[in-house]
Amino acid sequence: MDVIDRLFDNYIIQHRHYLLQFPGGYYRTVSGGINPLRRYHLEYHLEGKSAVGTFAGQYFTKLITFDVDFEDADFAKWVTYKLAATLDAAGIRTYLTSFSGSKGYHLDICLADAIAVKNARRFFDFIVTGADLTEVQGGQIEYRPSGMQGVKLPLGYHQKTGAYCGFCTVEDGLRIMGPEESHAYFLAAKKTEAALILDTIAGGDGAYSERDAADMEEAIGRHRPLETYEQSESYTLSRAAERYNVGLTGPGQRHKSFLLLARLFNHNGVDRAEARAAIAEWFAWQNPDYYDSSREFCAKDLAECVDYVYDRDLTLVAQQKDITVTFSEIDEIMRKCPQKNQKALAYAILVHSKRWADPGGTFYMTYTQMASASGMDERTARRQVDKLKKAEVIEIVRRDQRKRGTFLKKPNVYRMLLDYDEDSGVFEVTEEADFVACLTHFYDRDQLRRTLPRKQFESLIGAVNTDNTAYPIILKDKNNHL
């Protein structure tokens, strides 16, 4: 394993969202997966042409970084000594210390197995408190990386100061090693057993294998929110019903009304042809002063609007509805779904259930929707449904029921069987940003990074859709505190 492979193995957990620092200190954030982090990026990093930084994942982490940043260089050293001594006293002696290139140091704990991010944060706070460094002046000690704030990798060059970010040790007075010495030191370094971290904070949710953690984060990253999740007030049942009963109230409403009424009929299970006929009948009694187009053009527009809505299975919502996903649900998916496609589909169905389940917990979801939301083909989604049923992730309440008078089948009805435990940490979905923001503006203090082996990463890239939007997930604890 060379130095680049080791960097991927120890540090690179979020491949789709990363930082690049260019000469002069300018930072650029790369998001979305169109240009994922590649081997050549790290080659440039080692050569000093640019510097690479990484962000967190969402649920699991294999890296805990203490980012020491103080104006006074001697004080920064003193703080680093204190942290190192506290880690040693806690039985953690396999951490890596490197110069940040500017005003401090990074103490990195690279874990052999993944742990829950909440446990990583608890350990960070435990060490900082144990070192009596919670109220130091003149700088700060920060938990890195998070979904909003990245951390630079070691073994590169700070693009503003030009300083080399080599490794150093307390025993050697934090003398910064050169590239050759740093590389040899890094290749000989060992990871920290996750059990040591969990034992220090008296338990937690346990450790997860690298592959399971990587697959779960990949499942979340490839999730594609469906257009049916649109919650705009423009598409509520009350608005659609009013438009159907009152009709056009002014010019410029025809096209949007066609779309709105098509959603209304699709929401109520009306067939496409019947919906087209009903909207045409509705349009016949509208005031012609409110539109200028010919009847032929309007008929064509109506048909296209109905097809657009039905092809995408767009419906309506009765009211604004928040979505919460707990860590306990994610943990059950991790433990019950051994394959990454199972994780991806389980997560997609879970999010869908949060939107559409009735008070009894049942909901419809078509195979087409499953395929679209999980980033897999429909045939694969069909196969995985039975596996999720067998794993007791979902219950199939009703299956293969035909629509009356036709050979068409209604969508299956499901119920989620995952444990919803608010005490494990609640993720509340809001409407303030797109899907990229969901990944990059996640709750700052309870983050998790995953390590995705390079070969596995290369095999998975390509399933990312960056044009879809969704609701960002914001973490709150059981007391509703950010």
Side-chain angles (χ1 to χ4, degrees), residues 377-394:
D377 61 81
E378 187 172 330
R379 185 177 179 181
T380 302
R382 286 176 179 269
R383 291 198 305 267
Q384 295 299 337
V385 163
D386 287 330
K387 294 181 180 180
L388 295 183
K389 176 180 181 295
K390 186 176 181 180
E392 297 184 345
V393 171
I394 62 172

Side-chain angles (χ1 to χ4, degrees), residues 224-242:
R224 301 172 181 177
L226 302 173
E227 291 187 59
T228 57
Y229 298 165
E230 167 65 54
Q231 276 200 116
S232 169
E233 181 65 27
S234 299
Y235 299 118
T236 59
L237 280 169
S238 59
R239 183 179 178 87
E242 179 182 5

Side-chain angles (χ1 to χ4, degrees), residues 2 4-5 8 37-44 454:
D2 63 14
I4 292 179
D5 288 335
F8 270 105
L37 193 63
R38 303 284 190 181
R39 186 179 176 87
Y40 75 85
H41 289 113
L42 295 189
E43 290 176 351
Y44 291 167
R454 182 167 58 88

Side-chain angles (χ1 to χ4, degrees), residues 199-306:
D199 289 346
T200 300
I201 58 173
D205 297 308
Y208 304 83
S209 74
E210 177 178 341
R211 182 174 296 276
D212 283 346
D215 286 349
M216 189 66 243
E217 290 295 344
E218 175 65 24
I220 296 166
R222 66 194 267 192
H223 179 255
R224 301 172 181 177
L226 302 173
E227 291 187 59
T228 57
Y229 298 165
E230 167 65 54
Q231 276 200 116
S232 169
E233 181 65 27
S234 299
Y235 299 118
T236 59
L237 280 169
S238 59
R239 183 179 178 87
E242 179 182 5
R243 180 55 50 88
Y244 186 69
N245 291 322
V246 176
L248 301 177
T249 59
Q253 299 176 354
R254 174 187 51 77
H255 178 76
K256 291 183 178 179
S257 295
F258 287 164
L259 290 171
L260 182 62
L261 295 181
R263 282 176 177 257
L264 174 64
F265 285 112
N266 189 37
H267 184 90
N268 290 324
V270 177
D271 289 339
R272 185 185 306 228
E274 295 177 2
R276 189 183 296 119
I279 298 174
E281 181 182 352
W282 170 86
F283 186 61
W285 58 268
Q286 302 308 308
N287 188 340
D289 293 337
Y290 290 154
Y291 57 91
D292 298 325
S293 301
S294 66
R295 284 282 176 175
E296 292 76 13
F297 180 86
C298 292
K300 180 182 178 182
D301 184 46
L302 189 160
E304 290 176 350
C305 287
V306 171

